[in-house]
Amino acid sequence: MADSSPLIIEPRHRAADATVILLHGLGADGHDFEPLVPALPLDGSLAVRFILPHAPRMSVTVNGGMEMPAWYDILDMNLGRRIDEAQLKASADRVHALIDAEIAKGIDSRRIVVAGFSQGGAVAYHAALTYPQPLAGLLALSTYFATAESIQLSEANRALPIEVHHGSFDPVVPETLGHEGAERAEALGYAVNYRTYPMQHALCPEQIGDIGQWLNARLGVERV
């Protein structure tokens, strides 16, 4: 699934010692969440590198076969079940390669967060919970746990904290799917914090504040 290099946003004041990998949703690209980074209320002591990859273009069945940026094909609108799982896993492997590269640069795996919105969130679920070294956390935004029934979990991330956010008026990925994904993760033994916001398929200011505080808690020096 070769594609252009991801958008990388470095911390301004010193070299990065933590990383957030954030995957966009269907039809978008890495620039979609570029404005989020400066809006996050991150603690000034943090030096976080944000990696915003771009999904490759592919034909998407539910959109009449139209080509667009996508992490995997969606075969019908029952989003939680009918997807091209092989493509999703290939995208998760790509995330693993990004994590490997960060570790090679000197970032402790326990200071790497995997995050994703919508389709990207489904990939983030799989990538984080199958990665063979301990990570800092998983942030799942307006998404679903597409591979819950087939995933081979990594023992290294059995204690991974999971933060799930969803809009209560989401017309694209119904909140029932987001809640179901959180419940499936809990059933697998994970500690999941679920938050809902009065919004559609998007982010809202209150949520951005919560994301910043969660990242502060996960990536603060005391977490190392």
Side-chain angles (χ1 to χ4, degrees), residues 37-150:
V37 176
L40 290 169
L42 296 182
D43 189 284
S45 67
L46 296 183
V48 183
R49 174 183 296 124
F50 285 83
I51 299 179
L52 310 177
H54 310 293
R57 294 184 66 86
M58 66 176 67
S59 174
V60 177
T61 301
V62 294
N63 288 340
M66 184 183 301
E67 283 200 358
M68 62 185 64
W71 298 111
Y72 53 86
D73 190 16
I74 301 174
L75 304 175
D76 69 33
M77 290 309 293
N78 188 2
L79 291 176
R81 293 172 176 83
R82 292 226 59 217
I83 64 160
D84 189 314
E85 194 166 299
Q87 289 175 342
L88 184 152
K89 290 178 178 178
S91 289
D93 288 343
R94 183 176 163 194
V95 175
H96 286 182
L98 291 172
I99 299 171
D100 291 344
E102 290 302 291
I103 294 172
K105 293 175 185 176
I107 304 294
D108 189 323
S109 71
R110 296 168 298 169
R111 295 184 60 71
I112 299 175
V113 167
V114 177
F117 177 85
S118 195
Q119 225 198 23
V123 175
Y125 261 119
H126 194 87
L129 299 185
T130 59
Y131 192 70
Q133 297 186 58
L135 300 171
L138 164 63
L139 177 62
L141 306 171
S142 301
T143 190
Y144 50 98
F145 192 175
T147 55
E149 294 180 2
S150 62

Side-chain angles (χ1 to χ4, degrees), residues 33 117 141-142 165-167 170 197 199-204 207:
F33 285 112
F117 177 85
L141 306 171
S142 301
H165 294 180
H166 218 102
D170 192 332
Y197 301 87
M199 63 181 184
Q200 296 190 9
H201 198 59
L203 299 183
C204 67
Q207 179 188 21

Side-chain angles (χ1 to χ4, degrees), residues 54 153 158:
H54 310 293
L153 300 170
R158 282 303 227 155

